[in-house]
Amino acid sequence: AQTVTQSQPEMSVQEAETVTLSCTYDTSESDYYLFWYKQPPSRQMILVIRQEAYKQQNATENRFSVNFQKAAKSFSLKISDSQLGDAAMYFCAYRINRDDKIIFGKGTRLHILP
Amino acid sequence: NAGVTQTPKFQVLKTGQSMTLQCAQDMNHEYMSWYRQDPGMGLRLIHYSVGAGITDQGEVPNGYNVSRSTTEDFPLRLLSAAPSQTSVYFCASSRTGLKGYTFGSGTRLTVV
């Protein structure tokens, strides 16, 4: 079975500091995508960043970057210069290209301390 | 473009009642799916569709039916609501073989 594990149910970080959210996944597939989604209190699901498994280079989007370790099946999200607006639930997700389903982890709630 | 539109945003049902959650997208996306979100459980896939006339079950399909008669619409039917179906429901869509999903704003359903 394909699974996504987020081992940190909650995390806190001081404003302007850097925080890393962990994610591991389990698959026997070789062709897949990985995602981080943000869900603020508004409940809207927002795509933060994505990574194609065939790319060795880690994806970056402004203050957000990933550390993709394919052999270890690890996909962590680093948020630099944390801002109050980053407070949200963050979901790691995985999609195999064979059937387009996206499997989500259980989420990490991130608190930003002023 | 409206993106993915879900209606209603909130709903209260009595046990045993039936209802349909509506989902429509105007992006000509082939792939559509329904998830439910429960505290501590993340998002779990209920049903999905890779195109008009094609649907398949996800992780938690029991108690729900879907159909996909057009590319734009993917309604989710609760046949006989149970308190265990109290949840937030999300509809999402994407082009097949491409990137991530676009999500609707969700429906908060309470079954009493």
Side-chain angles (χ1 to χ4, degrees):
Chain A
Q2 299 147 27
T3 60
V4 178
T5 302
Q6 295 179 248
S7 59
Q8 306 147 315
E10 287 195 63
M11 294 188 71
S12 296
V13 63
Q14 208 74 33
E15 192 177 4
E17 297 295 310
T18 295
V19 64
T20 298
L21 281 58
S22 302
C23 173
T24 58
Y25 58 95
D26 185 19
T27 182
S28 57
E29 302 283 337
S30 60
D31 187 16
Y32 55 89
Y33 286 96
L34 295 161
F35 308 91
W36 279 97
Y37 278 87
K38 171 185 178 181
Q39 187 182 41
S42 67
R43 201 170 71 192
Q44 187 66 41
M45 293 288 289
I46 302 165
L47 179 62
V48 174
I49 198 165
R50 74 182 185 108
Q51 173 82 41
E52 292 91 336
Y54 65 87
K55 289 187 176 179
Q56 292 185 339
Q57 186 174 4
N58 289 325
T60 62
E61 289 286 343
N62 300 314
R63 298 183 294 108
F64 298 87
S65 61
V66 298
N67 183 6
F68 174 45
Q69 302 289 328
K70 190 172 184 179
K73 297 180 183 177
S74 171
F75 184 61
S76 61
L77 174 69
K78 186 172 81 170
I79 305 174
S80 303
D81 185 25
S82 298
Q83 300 175 1
L84 294 178
D86 295 333
M89 181 73 84
Y90 287 82
F91 292 99
C92 179
Y94 152 92
R95 195 199 89 198
I96 58 173
N97 288 341
R98 176 167 49 84
D99 65 13
D100 282 322
K101 289 188 295 186
I102 293 186
I103 307 300
F104 286 85
K106 294 184 178 182
T108 296
R109 185 170 298 282
L110 179 64
H111 303 278
I112 309 296
L113 306 174
Chain B
N1 285 346
V4 178
T5 302
Q6 282 186 243
T7 56
K9 294 190 184 304
F10 300 93
Q11 182 71 48
V12 179
L13 286 179
K14 293 182 179 178
T15 298
Q17 285 185 318
S18 62
M19 80 159 295
T20 299
L21 306 185
Q22 301 291 344
C23 177
Q25 53 91 10
D26 60 359
M27 298 170 285
N28 202 30
H29 285 171
E30 300 93 343
Y31 187 90
M32 296 185 75
S33 58
W34 277 101
Y35 289 87
R36 60 176 290 173
Q37 182 180 14
D38 302 292
M41 299 298 292
L43 279 80
R44 293 182 292 170
L45 183 64
I46 304 171
H47 285 285
Y48 66 101
S49 168
V50 298
I54 306 169
T55 64
D56 206 346
Q57 296 181 350
E59 182 184 358
V60 288
N62 292 340
Y64 308 94
N65 272 359
V66 292
S67 60
R68 185 93 180 270
S69 56
T70 67
T71 300
E72 295 77 18
D73 299 300
F74 191 45
L76 178 72
R77 297 182 186 84
L78 281 70
L79 308 173
S80 176
S84 61
Q85 293 178 303
T86 294
S87 187
V88 177
Y89 292 85
F90 285 96
C91 179
S93 73
S94 76
R95 288 200 183 279
T96 54
L98 186 70
K99 303 183 181 180
Y101 288 174
T102 300
F103 280 83
S105 57
T107 296
R108 181 175 292 279
L109 176 68
T110 302
V111 183
V112 298

